[in-house]
Amino acid sequence: MPRSIAARCMGVIYITTAQHLISGFMYPANMFDPSPAKYNQRSSNWRLAVAIDCIKHVIPSVFKPSKPPTLSMEDKSVTIKQRLQNYPTPATTWVDYFPSTIRPYFYLVRADRPAGTLLLFYPCAWSVTMTYYARSVPIATAWTHVGFFLLASLVFRSAGCVINDMWDKNIDAAVSRTRTRPLAAGDLTRCQAFVFLILQLALGVWLFMQLNQYSTILGLSSLVLVVMYPAMKRVTNWPQAVLAMCFN
């Protein structure tokens, strides 16, 4: 930004100087007046003119930057389509080896991206292993409970992805990063996603029923935050804060 302003100032100075030199050659009496007072007045006027031109041309560009051209809805839709066409095709993952009839369900729950599942699983694994080590619980029991929480983390993270995509179907279709998601791309309908969600929630509730009453109530209450997260994108600039509470 400073370089562009300096370049513009120099350009204005050069142009203004050239204009005054030309006017001096056209009216030599004004420029080569032998009177010192006249010469000094001419020089001061020249410098003043250069300063005024700099103010007129440079200052407005700094404090009033040019606005981008406004586009109509048709122009915006064409621009979005052009960007989507130029967007690279996603790389092939292990999910692509499944039949095309069930492949969208794997992509819907982000099966190829297990980071979210691990974020849910790690705190559970730490708690189980530290507690069972302190109480000298048999290793077989510890591994059983670790596997239980791994399955629960997978189910509820998958359910959260389905809920999020059902909320944001129309928005995802207009964003290059998310346009290939099954609901946004039209590979699945909202009805199919809802049936899939019901099956996941049923399995999740059954898993929670295997715990004591306190753990069941605490776990099911976290579903409120899972449902609220997509809605927070529409009312706040900090939706990730709600997502963090879901994981914690």
Side-chain angles (χ1 to χ4, degrees):
M1 185 68 178
R3 291 184 178 179
S4 62
I5 295 175
R8 186 168 297 184
C9 288
M10 294 302 298
V12 172
I13 292 173
Y14 290 151
I15 293 173
T16 308
T17 303
Q19 291 175 350
H20 284 279
L21 286 175
I22 293 172
S23 65
F25 283 112
M26 293 178 64
Y27 304 100
N30 294 335
M31 187 170 183
F32 299 102
D33 194 317
S35 172
K38 182 72 175 179
Y39 179 78
N40 292 336
Q41 182 181 3
R42 177 65 183 175
S43 299
S44 61
N45 291 339
W46 190 357
R47 288 193 295 268
L48 180 61
V50 172
I52 292 174
D53 284 344
C54 286
I55 293 174
K56 288 193 301 184
H57 290 84
V58 177
I59 299 301
S61 66
V62 176
F63 293 98
K64 295 183 180 180
S66 58
K67 296 182 180 179
T70 57
L71 299 176
S72 63
M73 293 303 296
E74 296 181 357
D75 295 335
K76 288 181 180 179
S77 62
V78 172
T79 303
I80 291 174
K81 290 180 181 179
Q82 291 175 349
R83 290 182 179 179
L84 294 182
Q85 290 174 357
N86 296 331
Y87 195 78
T89 304
T92 303
T93 65
W94 60 270
V95 176
D96 293 326
Y97 293 102
F98 285 91
S100 58
T101 54
I102 64 174
R103 192 183 306 155
Y105 292 97
F106 282 92
Y107 280 120
L108 182 63
V109 299
R110 320 283 199 274
D112 57 323
R113 299 176 181 179
T117 301
L118 295 178
L119 286 175
L120 284 176
F121 170 67
Y122 283 154
C124 300
W126 292 333
S127 302
V128 170
T129 52
M130 288 189 297
T131 302
Y132 286 8
Y133 176 80
R135 296 189 175 186
S136 301
V137 176
I139 189 66
T141 304
W143 277 113
T144 300
H145 287 174
V146 167
F148 171 85
F149 284 110
L150 177 60
L151 179 59
S153 300
L154 176 62
V155 170
F156 280 99
R157 190 258 181 164
S158 301
C161 292
V162 177
I163 294 173
N164 179 79
D165 286 7
M166 290 178 66
W167 271 85
D168 295 341
K169 176 183 177 181
N170 296 330
I171 298 177
D172 290 344
V175 179
S176 299
R177 183 180 62 85
T178 58
R179 68 183 177 91
T180 57
R181 291 179 178 177
L183 281 174
D187 297 331
L188 292 176
T189 64
R190 271 201 175 101
C191 182
Q192 291 174 317
F194 181 73
V195 173
F196 188 42
L197 175 62
I198 294 299
L199 295 176
Q200 293 178 88
L201 293 179
L203 177 59
V205 171
W206 179 81
L207 289 173
F208 271 130
M209 296 300 293
Q210 310 307 310
L211 304 174
N212 55 38
Q213 184 178 5
Y214 174 78
S215 299
T216 301
I217 295 175
L218 185 62
L220 293 178
S221 63
S222 64
L223 292 177
V224 177
L225 294 174
V226 175
V227 176
M228 286 176 56
Y229 165 64
M232 291 297 103
K233 300 177 185 179
R234 293 158 172 80
V235 297
T236 179
N237 293 328
W238 299 89
Q240 299 300 323
V242 180
L243 182 62
M245 289 190 287
C246 295
F247 281 109
N248 287 283

